[in-house]
Amino acid sequence: MVETFAALAEPNRFRIVELLRSGPRPVNTIGERLALRQPQVSKHLKVLKAAGLVEVEPRAQQRFYALRPEPLRRLDDWLDRYRQLWDERFDAMDEVLEELTQKEDEG
Amino acid sequence: MVETFAALAEPNRFRIVELLRSGPRPVNTIGERLALRQPQVSKHLKVLKAAGLVEVEPRAQQRFYALRPEPLRRLDDWLDRYRQLWDERFDAMDEVLEELTQKEDEG
DNA sequence: AAAGAATATTCTAGTCAAGGCATATTCGAC
DNA sequence: GTCGAATATGCCTTGACTAGAATATTCTTT
Protein backbone atom coordinates (compact mmCIF):
# COMPACT_ATOMS: atom_id res chain seq x y z
CA MET A 1 0.00 0.00 0.00
CA VAL A 2 2.66 2.44 1.06
CA GLU A 3 4.78 1.31 -1.88
CA THR A 4 1.92 2.14 -4.22
CA PHE A 5 1.65 5.59 -2.74
CA ALA A 6 5.38 6.10 -3.02
CA ALA A 7 5.34 5.10 -6.66
CA LEU A 8 2.52 7.52 -7.45
CA ALA A 9 3.95 10.32 -5.36
CA GLU A 10 6.54 11.18 -7.98
CA PRO A 11 5.06 13.70 -10.45
CA ASN A 12 6.57 12.21 -13.59
CA ARG A 13 5.62 8.71 -12.54
CA PHE A 14 2.10 9.88 -11.94
CA ARG A 15 2.04 11.36 -15.44
CA ILE A 16 3.27 8.07 -16.87
CA VAL A 17 0.48 6.19 -15.15
CA GLU A 18 -2.06 8.66 -16.43
CA LEU A 19 -0.68 8.31 -19.91
CA LEU A 20 -0.81 4.53 -19.76
CA ARG A 21 -4.46 4.69 -18.87
CA SER A 22 -5.13 5.05 -22.57
CA GLY A 23 -3.29 1.83 -23.30
CA PRO A 24 0.15 0.16 -23.46
CA ARG A 25 3.02 2.13 -24.89
CA PRO A 26 6.68 1.60 -25.75
CA VAL A 27 9.27 3.52 -23.77
CA ASN A 28 10.25 6.01 -26.42
CA THR A 29 6.73 7.27 -27.07
CA ILE A 30 6.30 7.84 -23.35
CA GLY A 31 9.41 9.94 -23.30
CA GLU A 32 8.35 11.94 -26.32
CA ARG A 33 4.86 12.47 -25.02
CA LEU A 34 5.98 13.64 -21.60
CA ALA A 35 9.20 15.36 -22.60
CA LEU A 36 11.34 13.04 -20.51
CA ARG A 37 14.70 11.60 -21.42
CA GLN A 38 14.82 7.91 -22.13
CA PRO A 39 16.90 6.84 -19.12
CA GLN A 40 14.53 8.62 -16.74
CA VAL A 41 11.56 6.92 -18.32
CA SER A 42 13.20 3.53 -17.92
CA LYS A 43 14.02 4.26 -14.31
CA HIS A 44 10.54 5.40 -13.48
CA LEU A 45 9.07 2.40 -15.21
CA LYS A 46 11.34 0.22 -13.15
CA VAL A 47 9.91 1.68 -9.97
CA LEU A 48 6.36 1.35 -11.25
CA LYS A 49 7.03 -2.24 -12.17
CA ALA A 50 8.49 -3.00 -8.75
CA ALA A 51 5.29 -1.61 -7.27
CA GLY A 52 3.26 -3.84 -9.56
CA LEU A 53 1.64 -0.90 -11.24
CA VAL A 54 2.98 -1.82 -14.62
CA GLU A 55 3.91 -4.86 -16.65
CA VAL A 56 6.11 -5.29 -19.69
CA GLU A 57 5.51 -7.01 -22.95
CA PRO A 58 8.53 -7.21 -25.26
CA ARG A 59 7.88 -6.77 -28.91
CA ALA A 60 10.82 -6.66 -31.27
CA GLN A 61 13.32 -4.28 -29.70
CA GLN A 62 10.55 -2.32 -28.10
CA ARG A 63 9.00 -2.92 -24.73
CA PHE A 64 5.36 -2.11 -24.27
CA TYR A 65 4.43 -1.07 -20.79
CA ALA A 66 0.86 -1.50 -19.63
CA LEU A 67 -1.01 -0.65 -16.45
CA ARG A 68 -1.73 -3.42 -14.00
CA PRO A 69 -5.05 -3.09 -12.17
CA GLU A 70 -4.14 -4.94 -8.98
CA PRO A 71 -2.50 -2.15 -6.98
CA LEU A 72 -5.24 0.27 -7.94
CA ARG A 73 -7.85 -2.23 -6.94
CA ARG A 74 -6.13 -2.72 -3.61
CA LEU A 75 -6.10 1.04 -3.22
CA ASP A 76 -9.81 0.98 -3.87
CA ASP A 77 -10.30 -1.67 -1.21
CA TRP A 78 -8.27 0.36 1.22
CA LEU A 79 -10.37 3.41 0.56
CA ASP A 80 -13.42 1.34 1.30
CA ARG A 81 -12.56 1.39 4.95
CA TYR A 82 -12.66 5.18 4.87
CA ARG A 83 -15.77 5.73 2.81
CA GLN A 84 -17.95 5.90 5.89
CA LEU A 85 -16.14 9.12 6.69
CA TRP A 86 -18.01 10.94 3.97
CA ASP A 87 -20.70 8.54 2.86
CA GLU A 88 -22.52 8.46 6.14
CA ARG A 89 -22.95 10.44 9.32
CA PHE A 90 -19.80 12.32 10.07
CA ASP A 91 -21.11 13.77 13.29
CA ALA A 92 -20.51 10.63 15.27
CA MET A 93 -16.94 11.87 15.43
CA ASP A 94 -17.93 14.59 17.84
CA GLU A 95 -19.17 11.99 20.28
CA VAL A 96 -15.90 10.14 20.11
CA LEU A 97 -14.14 13.42 20.73
CA GLU A 98 -16.19 14.02 23.86
CA GLU A 99 -15.46 10.54 25.08
CA LEU A 100 -11.75 10.78 24.51
CA THR A 101 -11.35 14.01 26.42
CA GLN A 102 -12.90 12.46 29.51
CA LYS A 103 -11.15 9.12 29.60
CA GLU A 104 -7.56 9.74 28.70
CA ASP A 105 -7.18 6.01 28.39
CA GLU A 106 -5.52 4.38 25.45
CA GLY A 107 -6.66 1.06 24.10
CA MET B 1 -3.36 14.34 -5.98
CA VAL B 2 0.38 13.82 -6.02
CA GLU B 3 0.61 15.65 -2.71
CA THR B 4 -1.89 13.24 -1.21
CA PHE B 5 0.18 10.33 -2.42
CA ALA B 6 3.34 11.87 -1.05
CA ALA B 7 1.73 12.36 2.34
CA LEU B 8 0.57 8.76 2.49
CA ALA B 9 3.81 7.35 1.12
CA GLU B 10 5.59 7.80 4.43
CA PRO B 11 5.06 4.68 6.57
CA ASN B 12 4.60 6.45 9.86
CA ARG B 13 2.25 8.97 8.31
CA PHE B 14 0.25 6.14 6.87
CA ARG B 15 0.05 4.58 10.29
CA ILE B 16 -1.15 7.87 11.75
CA VAL B 17 -3.90 8.09 9.17
CA GLU B 18 -4.94 4.54 9.89
CA LEU B 19 -5.00 5.27 13.58
CA LEU B 20 -7.11 8.37 13.09
CA ARG B 21 -9.67 6.35 11.23
CA SER B 22 -11.04 5.35 14.61
CA GLY B 23 -11.51 8.97 15.55
CA PRO B 24 -9.72 12.19 16.56
CA ARG B 25 -6.77 11.96 18.90
CA PRO B 26 -4.39 14.29 20.68
CA VAL B 27 -0.74 14.25 19.65
CA ASN B 28 0.66 12.44 22.66
CA THR B 29 -1.66 9.46 22.40
CA ILE B 30 -0.65 9.07 18.77
CA GLY B 31 2.98 9.00 19.77
CA GLU B 32 2.37 6.48 22.51
CA ARG B 33 0.26 4.27 20.33
CA LEU B 34 2.72 4.23 17.45
CA ALA B 35 5.94 4.41 19.44
CA LEU B 36 6.98 7.71 17.87
CA ARG B 37 8.63 10.64 19.56
CA GLN B 38 6.52 13.70 20.01
CA PRO B 39 8.41 16.00 17.60
CA GLN B 40 8.13 13.47 14.79
CA VAL B 41 4.43 13.15 15.35
CA SER B 42 4.00 16.90 15.17
CA LYS B 43 6.04 17.08 12.00
CA HIS B 44 4.12 14.31 10.33
CA LEU B 45 0.85 15.89 11.35
CA LYS B 46 2.04 19.13 9.84
CA VAL B 47 2.57 17.41 6.50
CA LEU B 48 -0.78 15.66 6.72
CA LYS B 49 -2.44 18.95 7.52
CA ALA B 50 -0.75 20.68 4.59
CA ALA B 51 -2.11 17.92 2.39
CA GLY B 52 -5.56 18.50 3.81
CA LEU B 53 -5.72 15.01 5.20
CA VAL B 54 -6.10 16.20 8.74
CA GLU B 55 -7.58 19.06 10.73
CA VAL B 56 -6.92 20.33 14.22
CA GLU B 57 -9.23 21.19 17.06
CA PRO B 58 -7.59 22.73 20.12
CA ARG B 59 -8.89 21.61 23.45
CA ALA B 60 -7.15 22.89 26.54
CA GLN B 61 -3.44 22.41 25.92
CA GLN B 62 -4.12 19.45 23.73
CA ARG B 63 -4.72 19.45 20.02
CA PHE B 64 -7.02 16.85 18.62
CA TYR B 65 -6.25 15.79 15.10
CA ALA B 66 -9.01 14.35 12.96
CA LEU B 67 -9.16 12.93 9.46
CA ARG B 68 -10.55 15.08 6.68
CA PRO B 69 -12.47 13.16 4.04
CA GLU B 70 -11.88 15.50 1.09
CA PRO B 71 -8.50 14.23 -0.14
CA LEU B 72 -9.65 10.65 0.19
CA ARG B 73 -12.78 11.43 -1.69
CA ARG B 74 -10.74 13.05 -4.43
CA LEU B 75 -8.58 9.95 -4.49
CA ASP B 76 -11.73 7.95 -4.92
CA ASP B 77 -12.80 10.14 -7.83
CA TRP B 78 -9.40 9.76 -9.40
CA LEU B 79 -9.61 5.99 -9.10
CA ASP B 80 -12.95 6.17 -10.85
CA ARG B 81 -11.18 6.88 -14.10
CA TYR B 82 -9.27 3.63 -13.70
CA ARG B 83 -12.05 1.36 -12.56
CA GLN B 84 -12.78 0.23 -16.08
CA LEU B 85 -9.39 -1.43 -15.94
CA TRP B 86 -10.79 -4.11 -13.68
CA ASP B 87 -14.54 -3.55 -13.37
CA GLU B 88 -15.26 -4.46 -16.93
CA ARG B 89 -13.33 -7.15 -18.61
CA PHE B 90 -10.67 -4.76 -19.74
CA ASP B 91 -8.40 -7.74 -19.76
CA ALA B 92 -8.89 -7.52 -23.47
CA MET B 93 -5.71 -5.55 -23.17
CA ASP B 94 -3.86 -8.68 -22.25
CA GLU B 95 -5.33 -10.53 -25.17
CA VAL B 96 -4.25 -7.84 -27.58
CA LEU B 97 -0.78 -7.92 -26.17
CA GLU B 98 -0.65 -11.70 -26.34
CA GLU B 99 -1.85 -11.60 -29.88
CA LEU B 100 0.71 -9.05 -30.91
CA THR B 101 3.63 -10.96 -29.44
CA GLN B 102 2.50 -14.26 -30.88
CA LYS B 103 2.03 -12.80 -34.30
CA GLU B 104 5.53 -11.46 -34.12
CA ASP B 105 6.97 -14.75 -32.95
CA GLU B 106 5.35 -16.75 -35.65
CA GLY B 107 5.85 -14.32 -38.48
C1' DA C 1 29.43 -11.01 -37.60
C1' DA C 2 28.42 -6.06 -37.80
C1' DA C 3 25.51 -2.23 -37.46
C1' DG C 4 21.72 0.09 -35.73
C1' DA C 5 17.56 0.81 -32.91
C1' DA C 6 15.32 0.53 -28.44
C1' DT C 7 15.94 0.09 -23.76
C1' DA C 8 18.49 -0.71 -19.36
C1' DT C 9 22.22 0.24 -16.17
C1' DT C 10 25.95 2.72 -13.92
C1' DC C 11 28.10 6.68 -11.80
C1' DT C 12 27.89 11.21 -10.06
C1' DA C 13 26.15 15.30 -8.02
C1' DG C 14 22.52 17.87 -6.06
C1' DT C 15 18.29 17.88 -3.40
C1' DC C 16 14.91 16.70 -0.14
C1' DA C 17 12.93 14.48 3.67
C1' DA C 18 13.13 11.98 8.21
C1' DG C 19 14.91 11.14 12.83
C1' DG C 20 17.19 12.83 17.04
C1' DC C 21 17.69 16.35 20.18
C1' DA C 22 17.27 20.78 22.19
C1' DT C 23 14.45 24.61 22.57
C1' DA C 24 10.55 27.65 21.84
C1' DT C 25 5.61 28.33 22.25
C1' DT C 26 0.98 27.88 23.98
C1' DC C 27 -2.34 27.25 27.48
C1' DG C 28 -4.32 26.13 31.94
C1' DA C 29 -3.69 25.79 37.09
C1' DC C 30 -2.17 27.88 41.04
C1' DG D 1 3.07 36.06 36.81
C1' DT D 2 5.11 31.46 37.39
C1' DC D 3 5.09 26.64 36.76
C1' DG D 4 4.11 22.58 34.32
C1' DA D 5 1.92 19.97 30.60
C1' DA D 6 1.19 19.53 25.65
C1' DT D 7 2.70 20.72 21.30
C1' DA D 8 5.49 23.12 17.72
C1' DT D 9 9.87 24.64 15.68
C1' DG D 10 14.86 24.84 14.57
C1' DC D 11 19.20 22.76 13.66
C1' DC D 12 21.96 19.02 12.27
C1' DT D 13 23.15 14.70 10.29
C1' DT D 14 22.15 10.99 7.43
C1' DG D 15 19.92 8.25 3.98
C1' DA D 16 17.09 8.10 -0.13
C1' DC D 17 15.73 9.78 -4.57
C1' DT D 18 16.18 12.17 -8.96
C1' DA D 19 18.20 14.09 -13.14
C1' DG D 20 22.00 14.07 -16.26
C1' DA D 21 25.32 11.96 -19.16
C1' DA D 22 27.80 8.12 -20.69
C1' DT D 23 27.84 3.37 -21.41
C1' DA D 24 26.12 -1.36 -21.53
C1' DT D 25 22.70 -4.65 -23.09
C1' DT D 26 19.31 -6.70 -26.07
C1' DC D 27 17.18 -7.70 -30.24
C1' DT D 28 16.73 -7.26 -35.35
C1' DT D 29 18.35 -6.89 -39.80
C1' DT D 30 21.54 -7.57 -43.31
mmCIF file of all heavy atoms in Angstrom, chain A residues 89-107:
data_model
loop_
_atom_site.group_PDB
_atom_site.id
_atom_site.type_symbol
_atom_site.label_atom_id
_atom_site.label_comp_id
_atom_site.label_asym_id
_atom_site.label_seq_id
_atom_site.Cartn_x
_atom_site.Cartn_y
_atom_site.Cartn_z
ATOM 1 N N ARG A 89 -22.963 9.403 8.284
ATOM 2 C CA ARG A 89 -22.950 10.439 9.319
ATOM 3 C C ARG A 89 -21.532 10.685 9.797
ATOM 4 O O ARG A 89 -20.812 9.796 10.191
ATOM 5 C CB ARG A 89 -23.851 10.051 10.493
ATOM 6 C CG ARG A 89 -23.349 8.853 11.287
ATOM 7 C CD ARG A 89 -24.048 7.564 10.867
ATOM 8 N NE ARG A 89 -23.258 6.397 11.285
ATOM 9 C CZ ARG A 89 -23.360 5.856 12.492
ATOM 10 N NH1 ARG A 89 -24.158 6.365 13.350
ATOM 11 N NH2 ARG A 89 -22.628 4.799 12.795
ATOM 12 N N PHE A 90 -21.147 11.923 9.714
ATOM 13 C CA PHE A 90 -19.799 12.316 10.065
ATOM 14 C C PHE A 90 -19.791 12.895 11.475
ATOM 15 O O PHE A 90 -18.748 13.148 12.055
ATOM 16 C CB PHE A 90 -19.301 13.360 9.065
ATOM 17 C CG PHE A 90 -17.841 13.649 9.176
ATOM 18 C CD1 PHE A 90 -16.900 12.755 8.659
ATOM 19 C CD2 PHE A 90 -17.400 14.797 9.796
ATOM 20 C CE1 PHE A 90 -15.551 13.019 8.769
ATOM 21 C CE2 PHE A 90 -16.042 15.056 9.893
ATOM 22 C CZ PHE A 90 -15.123 14.174 9.380
ATOM 23 N N ASP A 91 -20.993 13.068 12.005
ATOM 24 C CA ASP A 91 -21.106 13.771 13.288
ATOM 25 C C ASP A 91 -20.800 12.851 14.456
ATOM 26 O O ASP A 91 -20.545 13.299 15.563
ATOM 27 C CB ASP A 91 -22.514 14.314 13.452
ATOM 28 C CG ASP A 91 -23.089 14.767 12.116
ATOM 29 O OD1 ASP A 91 -22.616 14.294 11.065
ATOM 30 O OD2 ASP A 91 -24.005 15.564 12.141
ATOM 31 N N ALA A 92 -20.815 11.576 14.207
ATOM 32 C CA ALA A 92 -20.506 10.631 15.275
ATOM 33 C C ALA A 92 -19.119 10.920 15.831
ATOM 34 O O ALA A 92 -18.818 10.613 16.977
ATOM 35 C CB ALA A 92 -20.570 9.202 14.753
ATOM 36 N N MET A 93 -18.289 11.536 15.004
ATOM 37 C CA MET A 93 -16.939 11.866 15.430
ATOM 38 C C MET A 93 -16.934 12.755 16.662
ATOM 39 O O MET A 93 -16.106 12.621 17.534
ATOM 40 C CB MET A 93 -16.237 12.593 14.294
ATOM 41 C CG MET A 93 -14.893 12.030 13.995
ATOM 42 S SD MET A 93 -14.144 12.917 12.655
ATOM 43 C CE MET A 93 -13.396 11.587 11.763
ATOM 44 N N ASP A 94 -17.864 13.680 16.702
ATOM 45 C CA ASP A 94 -17.931 14.587 17.840
ATOM 46 C C ASP A 94 -18.136 13.807 19.136
ATOM 47 O O ASP A 94 -17.524 14.103 20.158
ATOM 48 C CB ASP A 94 -19.064 15.580 17.647
ATOM 49 C CG ASP A 94 -18.674 16.669 16.649
ATOM 50 O OD1 ASP A 94 -17.596 16.528 16.034
ATOM 51 O OD2 ASP A 94 -19.415 17.629 16.497
ATOM 52 N N GLU A 95 -18.967 12.797 19.084
ATOM 53 C CA GLU A 95 -19.173 11.987 20.284
ATOM 54 C C GLU A 95 -17.865 11.354 20.730
ATOM 55 O O GLU A 95 -17.492 11.428 21.898
ATOM 56 C CB GLU A 95 -20.196 10.890 19.999
ATOM 57 C CG GLU A 95 -21.578 11.450 19.681
ATOM 58 C CD GLU A 95 -22.561 10.317 19.465
ATOM 59 O OE1 GLU A 95 -22.412 9.281 20.141
ATOM 60 O OE2 GLU A 95 -23.484 10.470 18.636
ATOM 61 N N VAL A 96 -17.178 10.762 19.790
ATOM 62 C CA VAL A 96 -15.897 10.144 20.107
ATOM 63 C C VAL A 96 -14.972 11.157 20.747
ATOM 64 O O VAL A 96 -14.260 10.869 21.705
ATOM 65 C CB VAL A 96 -15.246 9.557 18.834
ATOM 66 C CG1 VAL A 96 -13.907 8.918 19.168
ATOM 67 C CG2 VAL A 96 -16.168 8.539 18.193
ATOM 68 N N LEU A 97 -14.986 12.356 20.204
ATOM 69 C CA LEU A 97 -14.140 13.416 20.734
ATOM 70 C C LEU A 97 -14.470 13.664 22.200
ATOM 71 O O LEU A 97 -13.582 13.704 23.053
ATOM 72 C CB LEU A 97 -14.369 14.687 19.919
ATOM 73 C CG LEU A 97 -13.126 15.452 19.487
ATOM 74 C CD1 LEU A 97 -13.499 16.514 18.472
ATOM 75 C CD2 LEU A 97 -12.456 16.079 20.675
ATOM 76 N N GLU A 98 -15.738 13.834 22.476
ATOM 77 C CA GLU A 98 -16.187 14.017 23.858
ATOM 78 C C GLU A 98 -15.637 12.907 24.746
ATOM 79 O O GLU A 98 -14.995 13.148 25.760
ATOM 80 C CB GLU A 98 -17.720 13.993 23.910
ATOM 81 C CG GLU A 98 -18.373 15.263 23.395
ATOM 82 C CD GLU A 98 -18.094 16.441 24.312
ATOM 83 O OE1 GLU A 98 -17.840 16.215 25.496
ATOM 84 O OE2 GLU A 98 -18.125 17.579 23.812
ATOM 85 N N GLU A 99 -15.857 11.705 24.288
ATOM 86 C CA GLU A 99 -15.458 10.539 25.076
ATOM 87 C C GLU A 99 -13.967 10.545 25.366
ATOM 88 O O GLU A 99 -13.532 10.339 26.486
ATOM 89 C CB GLU A 99 -15.837 9.278 24.308
ATOM 90 C CG GLU A 99 -15.659 8.009 25.103
ATOM 91 C CD GLU A 99 -15.913 6.786 24.248
ATOM 92 O OE1 GLU A 99 -16.381 6.961 23.101
ATOM 93 O OE2 GLU A 99 -15.649 5.675 24.728
ATOM 94 N N LEU A 100 -13.200 10.841 24.373
ATOM 95 C CA LEU A 100 -11.748 10.784 24.515
ATOM 96 C C LEU A 100 -11.237 11.809 25.515
ATOM 97 O O LEU A 100 -10.304 11.561 26.264
ATOM 98 C CB LEU A 100 -11.066 11.001 23.162
ATOM 99 C CG LEU A 100 -10.915 9.740 22.318
ATOM 100 C CD1 LEU A 100 -10.301 10.083 20.975
ATOM 101 C CD2 LEU A 100 -10.026 8.739 23.049
ATOM 102 N N THR A 101 -11.829 12.962 25.513
ATOM 103 C CA THR A 101 -11.350 14.009 26.419
ATOM 104 C C THR A 101 -11.578 13.634 27.872
ATOM 105 O O THR A 101 -10.826 14.026 28.752
ATOM 106 C CB THR A 101 -12.064 15.343 26.137
ATOM 107 O OG1 THR A 101 -13.431 15.082 25.892
ATOM 108 C CG2 THR A 101 -11.442 16.027 24.938
ATOM 109 N N GLN A 102 -12.591 12.834 28.129
ATOM 110 C CA GLN A 102 -12.899 12.459 29.512
ATOM 111 C C GLN A 102 -12.018 11.320 29.991
ATOM 112 O O GLN A 102 -11.349 11.409 31.005
ATOM 113 C CB GLN A 102 -14.383 12.087 29.624
ATOM 114 C CG GLN A 102 -15.275 13.320 29.440
ATOM 115 C CD GLN A 102 -16.729 12.939 29.438
ATOM 116 O OE1 GLN A 102 -17.046 11.771 29.606
ATOM 117 N NE2 GLN A 102 -17.598 13.915 29.245
ATOM 118 N N LYS A 103 -12.014 10.236 29.209
ATOM 119 C CA LYS A 103 -11.149 9.119 29.595
ATOM 120 C C LYS A 103 -9.866 9.179 28.773
ATOM 121 O O LYS A 103 -9.866 8.914 27.577
ATOM 122 C CB LYS A 103 -11.860 7.783 29.402
ATOM 123 C CG LYS A 103 -12.623 7.697 28.091
ATOM 124 C CD LYS A 103 -13.435 6.429 27.990
ATOM 125 C CE LYS A 103 -12.613 5.177 27.939
ATOM 126 N NZ LYS A 103 -13.411 3.981 27.651
ATOM 127 N N GLU A 104 -8.831 9.564 29.411
ATOM 128 C CA GLU A 104 -7.555 9.741 28.702
ATOM 129 C C GLU A 104 -6.926 8.405 28.359
ATOM 130 O O GLU A 104 -5.797 8.314 27.933
ATOM 131 C CB GLU A 104 -6.603 10.555 29.572
ATOM 132 C CG GLU A 104 -5.382 11.087 28.819
ATOM 133 C CD GLU A 104 -5.750 12.198 27.858
ATOM 134 O OE1 GLU A 104 -6.923 12.645 27.850
ATOM 135 O OE2 GLU A 104 -4.878 12.626 27.125
ATOM 136 N N ASP A 105 -7.684 7.370 28.587
ATOM 137 C CA ASP A 105 -7.176 6.008 28.387
ATOM 138 C C ASP A 105 -6.761 5.768 26.948
ATOM 139 O O ASP A 105 -7.225 6.410 26.024
ATOM 140 C CB ASP A 105 -8.253 4.998 28.763
ATOM 141 C CG ASP A 105 -7.688 3.918 29.653
ATOM 142 O OD1 ASP A 105 -6.503 4.030 30.030
ATOM 143 O OD2 ASP A 105 -8.411 2.981 29.973
ATOM 144 N N GLU A 106 -5.882 4.802 26.790
ATOM 145 C CA GLU A 106 -5.520 4.375 25.448
ATOM 146 C C GLU A 106 -5.735 2.879 25.366
ATOM 147 O O GLU A 106 -5.403 2.149 26.268
ATOM 148 C CB GLU A 106 -4.079 4.744 25.123
ATOM 149 C CG GLU A 106 -3.044 4.225 26.116
ATOM 150 C CD GLU A 106 -2.339 2.996 25.597
ATOM 151 O OE1 GLU A 106 -2.277 2.819 24.400
ATOM 152 O OE2 GLU A 106 -1.861 2.209 26.418
ATOM 153 N N GLY A 107 -6.293 2.469 24.222
ATOM 154 C CA GLY A 107 -6.659 1.062 24.097
ATOM 155 C C GLY A 107 -5.553 0.255 23.556
ATOM 156 O O GLY A 107 -5.671 -0.622 22.813
#
